[in-house]
């Protein structure tokens, strides 16, 4: 089954890349933006048909490799 | 309101970064992975309270700047 993970920077961590994208969009005429923050996305195709077990494994992957928990949060989705 | 966008590589586009992550996870003991594909994630905070209008604007941003439609797909989410 496929499980998606979204990794975002924590609230208080600066996101210069998102800032630049926001400025660029502003220059293109999108003037009503409050903020843009960039993150990472992973689509994990795992050989496990039980959603609960698959999520536990993906959670483990996030903690061990995918996310840097000092500055990032992660969210596991079923898309 | 906040709108999220997920940008992923199209099916037939190679994703070497995802491949490396998969190999790394495999080496760490996660041996039941079929595939991992990496993508980008944007959280857009827009001064627009009508979800329909906001989505139309975000769709426009994706087409004009955020996604490279030759090799990427985008999906607009409300998270």
């Amino acid at each position: 089954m496929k499980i998606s993970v979204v990794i975002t920077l924590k609230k208080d961590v600066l996101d210069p890349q998102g800032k630049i994208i926001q400025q660029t969009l502003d220059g293109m005429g999108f003037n009503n933006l409050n903020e843009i923050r960039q993150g990472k996305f992973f689509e994990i195709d795992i050989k496990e048909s039980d959603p609960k077990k698959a999520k536990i494994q993906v959670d483990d992957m996030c903690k061990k490799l995918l996310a840097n928990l000092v500055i990032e949060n992660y969210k596991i989705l079923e898309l």
Side-chain angles (χ1 to χ4, degrees), chain A:
Chain A
M1 70 175 297
K2 285 187 183 177
I3 294 205
S4 299
V5 177
V6 163
I7 293 176
T8 49
L9 285 168
K10 288 190 178 174
K11 259 192 184 171
D12 299 329
V13 180
L14 287 176
D15 178 10
Q17 209 171 346
K19 194 78 201 160
I20 291 287
I21 293 167
Q22 185 188 340
Q23 287 166 1
T24 307
L25 284 167
D26 190 76
M28 290 167 74
F30 297 99
N31 304 313
N32 59 347
L33 299 170
N34 288 321
E35 195 183 21
I36 293 197
R37 289 181 75 83
Q38 209 194 350
K40 280 178 277 184
F41 177 83
F42 297 99
E43 190 184 66
I44 301 172
D45 189 353
I46 188 168
K47 287 181 200 122
E48 172 66 66
S49 51
D50 181 348
K52 264 193 193 170
K53 282 187 193 166
K55 276 191 188 171
I56 289 171
Q57 279 209 41
V58 170
D59 191 82
D60 207 23
M61 288 176 208
C62 289
K63 282 185 184 140
K64 287 185 180 160
L65 182 75
L66 302 179
N68 174 355
L69 297 179
V70 178
I71 56 166
E72 293 171 330
N73 289 320
Y74 65 91
K75 209 186 286 180
I76 296 171
L77 316 167
E78 280 182 85
L79 291 183

